[in-house]
Amino acid sequence: MSSVKFLTERVAVVTASTKGIGFAIAKRLGLDGASVVVSSRKERNVKEAVTALRLEGIDVDGIVAHVGIAGDRKKLLDFALDRYGKLDILVSNAAVNPHYGDLLNITDAQWDKLLQLNVQASFLLTKEAVPHLEKTGNGNIVFVSSLAGYAPIEGIGAYSIMKTALMGINKTLSQSLAHRNIRVNAIAPGIIRTDFSKMLTENPEPSANIDVRRTIPLGRIGEADECAGAVSFLVSDEASYMTGETIGINGGMHSRV
């Protein structure tokens, strides 16, 4: 990581950013010079994340926000604007996966929750953030999608569908927002060691973890920090001619032709 803080004077909001990939992204953006707002549904997690990031010398603040709730989305954006006066970067990372198993066994409630949090909330928060991003003249949006959006993973078929939809939002918004000087990109992590992925990385059957690793050419599970650099690059001036792209971070797993 360069000692040059190339995101200085940028303000970033990262959703679901008190643990896992979201926390790693918030940390990297902050270390690269951005002021960062973290968020989570749990106050304790927000406080712990803010404390940890401030110990790293990062200009950070945080707020409790559930992006699936309209009032909380507004509260999150208002907090960032009140605290820092503008918004340059939005990283949409919040996601859920309440169903594991045969896709056709999913309940209506599970399907609705997946759609609401993984697709609808990401789109609506982005829509609400666009006027503020446009004011900077150099706004950036990054969606955290998934390898599963390209190549469905057994047991998480519904989640895969939602991440494919998120890639569609990425492509479509990159076209419609280009003339407003807002770039839109995404990352597609593979199997990363987080609480979210325990169903894949910590299967109680001893053979399961071995099988997972055998599908990864690099032969290991990825770490959250390994997703963060790509996001920092995408929102930087180094990527100023990139929009509508999705960067795979998957250890070489097959994701597209």
Side-chain angles (χ1 to χ4, degrees):
M1 183 171 56
S2 171
S3 60
V4 177
K5 295 186 180 296
F6 53 88
L7 296 181
T8 299
E9 298 185 358
R10 309 277 180 93
V11 176
V13 167
V14 186
T15 65
S17 46
T18 59
K19 293 183 178 181
I21 292 173
F23 180 81
I25 291 170
K27 178 180 176 180
R28 181 59 185 265
L29 295 179
L31 290 174
D32 287 338
S35 299
V36 184
V37 173
V38 298
S39 66
S40 169
R41 291 176 293 174
K42 297 181 180 180
E43 184 175 5
R44 177 180 176 181
N45 291 347
V46 171
K47 289 181 177 179
E48 289 177 352
V50 168
T51 298
L53 293 173
R54 285 178 176 168
L55 288 174
E56 298 278 352
I58 293 170
D59 182 10
V60 60
D61 212 331
I63 185 172
V64 175
H66 186 318
V67 295
I69 300 173
D72 277 20
R73 291 193 298 270
K74 183 179 186 305
K75 183 175 67 173
L76 172 59
L77 295 177
D78 286 347
F79 179 83
L81 294 167
D82 290 343
R83 178 69 172 80
Y84 294 109
K86 64 171 184 169
L87 177 64
D88 300 277
I89 299 162
L90 173 65
V91 181
S92 183
N93 174 62
V96 296
N97 184 34
H99 178 263
Y100 184 81
D102 188 334
L103 174 61
L104 295 181
N105 289 333
I106 192 170
T107 67
D108 290 358
Q110 288 172 329
W111 177 267
D112 289 345
K113 186 173 183 178
L114 276 156
L115 185 62
Q116 179 194 20
L117 270 297
N118 296 344
V119 181
Q120 181 172 304
S122 289
F123 173 74
L124 292 177
L125 178 61
T126 301
K127 177 184 175 183
E128 293 154 11
V130 161
H132 308 296
L133 294 167
E134 185 177 14
K135 288 178 182 178
T136 70
N138 184 27
N140 275 276
I141 299 163
V142 177
F143 294 107
V144 178
S145 185
S146 171
L147 165 74
Y150 283 119
I153 296 174
E154 184 178 358
I156 56 172
Y159 178 79
S160 300
I161 291 169
M162 304 304 162
K163 289 300 186 178
T164 302
L166 194 59
M167 290 179 181
I169 292 173
N170 175 48
K171 284 290 187 183
T172 303
L173 284 180
S174 71
Q175 302 297 300
S176 62
L177 295 179
H179 73 285
R180 300 170 76 167
N181 294 317
I182 299 173
R183 294 189 296 107
V184 188
N185 291 287
I187 61 169
I191 300 174
I192 307 297
R193 194 186 319 278
T194 64
D195 289 345
F196 193 83
S197 67
K198 280 182 178 179
M199 68 183 72
L200 296 174
T201 62
E202 298 183 13
N203 193 304
E205 293 296 325
S207 62
N209 287 331
I210 296 173
D211 289 340
V212 166
R213 288 173 174 80
R214 284 176 178 170
T215 67
I216 306 171
L218 286 185
R220 64 177 177 83
I221 304 299
E223 302 297 336
D225 288 346
E226 295 179 293
C227 299
V231 175
S232 192
F233 165 70
L234 284 171
V235 302
S236 75
D237 291 341
E238 295 297 315
S240 59
Y241 202 53
M242 289 181 65
T243 195
E245 294 300 321
T246 299
I247 296 179
I249 307 169
N250 51 43
M253 293 178 73
H254 177 71
S255 59
R256 65 184 108 177
V257 177

